[in-house]
Amino acid sequence: PFYQMGKLIYYTTRRFINQGPKFKNPNIEDFGIGKSSIIYNIDALAIYRKVRVVESITNALTLDDKAIAIDGKIISDYQLSCIIRSPVKAVEIILDRDAYSDALKMGLKLAYHKKIKIVKMPTGDDVNTIGKKDTLRVIKNSGWQTYRDIYKQHINYGKNP
């Protein structure tokens, strides 16, 4: 379930056996809202000065109460707007390793609005693979970045993934 200020606004299901789609979201036509118009744990944007953006609900649940999930690798304009308009001061972007380029793009969009840290996960790993303790260590060892820092990484990423 996705809640906002105590009200159920959306839901999704996840498979636990290797048959069918990994996630099942309600149709936008049936529910009136789609996955690009939601953020898992959106209330964290009003509670904390620093949030952690991850891809999936399970990553957010593994990490902590400051983690919000965008339900994918690419942040929607709506989700981006929610973060920018929030009182949050700092954003740690912790996408799966295969989405590092998307994390850099997100960082470029947020860098003039918030303090940004883009966390590069170990090869092939995500929050659930390495667990909370090791993810927090990787976050701690990552530095805060300016727009210029992120832009340099972005243009050089294809050369040195």
Side-chain angles (χ1 to χ4, degrees):
F2 286 66
Y3 293 98
Q4 186 170 1
M5 295 173 49
K7 181 181 174 190
L8 177 67
I9 59 166
Y10 193 74
Y11 68 92
T12 189
T13 60
R14 187 186 196 291
R15 74 167 156 80
F16 290 97
I17 57 172
N18 287 333
Q19 293 180 338
K22 190 173 184 179
F23 290 96
K24 179 87 169 130
N25 299 310
N27 292 326
I28 191 168
E29 299 81 19
D30 297 336
F31 205 71
I33 189 171
K35 74 176 199 169
S36 65
S37 298
I38 55 160
I39 296 174
Y40 181 78
N41 195 24
I42 193 168
D43 291 341
L45 295 174
I47 298 170
Y48 300 105
R49 293 177 49 88
K50 175 177 67 179
V51 295
R52 298 176 168 138
V53 178
V54 295
E55 287 183 41
S56 74
I57 298 163
T58 54
N59 285 341
L61 291 170
T62 296
L63 201 46
D64 59 28
D65 290 343
K66 295 178 184 176
I68 63 172
I70 59 172
D71 204 20
K73 299 173 185 192
I74 300 170
I75 193 165
S76 72
D77 290 340
Y78 173 80
Q79 294 165 330
L80 186 68
S81 176
C82 287
I83 295 170
I84 290 170
R85 288 183 291 121
S86 77
V88 164
K89 301 290 184 205
V91 179
E92 296 171 334
I93 301 169
I94 312 158
L95 303 186
D96 298 357
R97 179 64 181 254
D98 68 333
Y100 188 67
S101 177
D102 298 306
L104 291 170
K105 290 174 189 171
M106 186 188 314
L108 288 171
K109 292 176 182 179
L110 289 169
Y112 281 117
H113 306 280
K114 309 290 181 184
K115 188 174 176 183
I116 299 296
K117 181 185 284 190
I118 299 174
V119 177
K120 191 171 189 178
M121 296 298 282
T123 304
D125 290 332
D126 70 5
V127 173
N128 291 326
T129 305
I130 67 173
K132 180 178 181 173
K133 181 180 174 183
D134 286 339
T135 299
L136 292 175
R137 181 186 46 77
V138 174
I139 293 168
K140 184 178 179 181
N141 291 331
S142 300
W144 295 100
Q145 298 149 307
T146 65
Y147 182 92
R148 184 176 178 174
D149 297 330
I150 299 166
Y151 186 72
K152 282 181 184 179
Q153 290 176 9
H154 176 66
I155 60 174
N156 289 319
Y157 180 67
K159 300 172 188 169
N160 300 311

